[in-house]
Amino acid sequence: MPEAERTASRLPRIAVLATGGTIAGTSTPGDGTSYAAGAFGIDQLLAAVPGLAAIATLQAEQIASVGSQDMRHDIWHALATRVAALCEDEQVDGIVITHGTDTIEETAYFLDLVIPPGKPLVLTGAMRPATALGADGPANLYAAVALAGHASARDRGALVLMNEHIHDALRVQKIAASGLAAFASPDRGIAGVMEGDMPLFYQPPRSHGGVWGARPRMPLAEPAQWPRVGVLHAHADMQADVAEFMAARYQGVVLAGVGNGNASAAAMRALADAAARGVAVVRASRTGRGYVGRGVEVDDDELGFIAAAALSPQKARVLLMLALMSTNDRATLQSWFDAQ
Ligand code: SIN
């Protein structure tokens, strides 16, 4: 809804979907370090945020109550199905999802890939539990609702709001295990900031087009049918056995490689053998920044690999899993990674 309309006619209607996380966590008062995630329901969380009723009309649903280390594909499926329905609901102007911060970037990117851009879709969480001194959840939730009710958040796909910063789902990463400044969008920067309840975008909406954007999105198959894709972390003195173990059990393996998506000769040989047997192997980097280019350091054509381009290993896993539902053609897969 345009800003002028928002003040002149009615408040935006925002659907809030809760999944758990530290934002809904309890701790001993004064102790923000040991806590139980996902203890409070969404109605309690919303009631703890002053001023929400002045900026939006809210409808709330509890989709799950998990710490996001336990986020599962069946919850992703339920979330995506619900978000797709809310996108069709003309009464709803925007959607907010509360989520644990540990895997929020994966859920955001998953939704970004399966839900066409349009209605504002904002994920948020908290680094401190709801009962901690200086809890960040209420401010994040307030800002997320304000952002989801704003017209400038439309057509941007999934966004992540943390600590007043607005991140594109494609770029955002949790970069710190503790502290409030735990999120960044490395290399390309944040999408914008919140000034109170007003979003200021620094970057135009990114393209959701290209070959991947043109493919059909929801509905997805039942999660039991989703291909198994795992992440293999490279390190010094890496042996072949762990690569062989994964390749025997997974349809896709993402290498969180050293440097430019590399690993020991033994591990790379095992992965090349797996690729020759039809396992989709993607080379990403464990460094957290930069670009893994096709053919750089590693002969991807010869070994049958796909280069992750700008995607982190955890996001490469999400794209590869969804992509394998449509094709295992290496050139097509590479073009989808290049389009991110
Ligand atoms: C979680 O991801 O659920 C726990 C950590 C957090 O939310 O900050």
Side-chain angles (χ1 to χ4, degrees), residues 231-238 254-259 261-264 267 284 286:
V231 177
L232 174 65
H233 200 96
H235 51 83
D237 195 38
M238 188 177 188
V254 175
L255 174 68
V258 295
N262 216 335
S264 67
R286 68 177 197 175

Side-chain angles (χ1 to χ4, degrees), residues 38-201:
F40 288 121
I42 187 59
D43 292 332
Q44 287 165 290
L45 287 193
L46 292 172
V49 185
L52 270 184
I55 61 166
T57 303
L58 300 174
Q59 61 182 67
E61 290 170 50
Q62 194 79 40
I63 302 288
S65 295
V66 294
S68 77
Q69 68 280 5
D70 286 322
M71 186 48 64
R72 303 184 308 265
H73 292 164
D74 61 304
I75 303 177
W76 278 5
H77 188 263
L79 209 44
T81 304
R82 193 66 193 115
V83 169
L86 290 166
C87 287
E88 297 297 314
D89 184 343
E90 287 178 5
Q91 300 301 311
V92 172
D93 299 298
I95 301 156
V96 168
I97 297 172
T98 60
H99 199 290
T101 61
D102 287 349
T103 60
I104 195 172
E105 70 203 67
E106 294 171 54
T107 301
Y109 183 55
F110 164 76
L111 291 171
D112 198 62
L113 290 172
V114 300
I115 304 289
K119 235 169 236 188
L121 172 59
V122 183
L123 289 87
T124 193
M127 290 299 290
R128 293 180 181 156
T131 50
L133 291 176
D136 50 331
N140 286 342
L141 193 46
Y142 181 91
V145 168
L147 177 59
H150 206 275
S152 62
R154 287 187 60 85
D155 298 322
R156 290 179 175 272
L159 298 169
V160 172
L161 184 292
M162 287 295 294
N163 207 20
E164 296 173 349
H165 286 177
I166 307 167
H167 301 264
D168 277 326
L170 176 63
R171 311 283 175 226
V172 66
Q173 277 184 41
K174 186 169 186 179
I175 52 152
S178 60
L180 294 185
F183 282 82
S185 288
D187 295 329
R188 293 193 173 89
I190 60 174
V193 292
M194 291 301 288
E195 285 286 333
D197 60 4
M198 184 62 72
L200 295 177
F201 281 100

Side-chain angles (χ1 to χ4, degrees), residues 175-254:
I175 52 152
S178 60
L180 294 185
F183 282 82
S185 288
D187 295 329
R188 293 193 173 89
I190 60 174
V193 292
M194 291 301 288
E195 285 286 333
D197 60 4
M198 184 62 72
L200 295 177
F201 281 100
Y202 299 151
Q203 307 202 14
R206 68 184 170 80
S207 162
H208 285 75
V211 275
W212 174 265
R215 94 234 172 276
R217 300 195 181 191
M218 289 290 290
L220 289 170
E222 286 300 315
Q225 292 163 31
W226 295 7
R228 286 195 82 193
V229 178
V231 177
L232 174 65
H233 200 96
H235 51 83
D237 195 38
M238 188 177 188
Q239 309 298 315
D241 52 1
V242 63
E244 288 162 357
F245 181 89
M246 277 189 76
R249 288 160 180 79
Y250 289 75
Q251 288 132 285
V253 175
V254 175

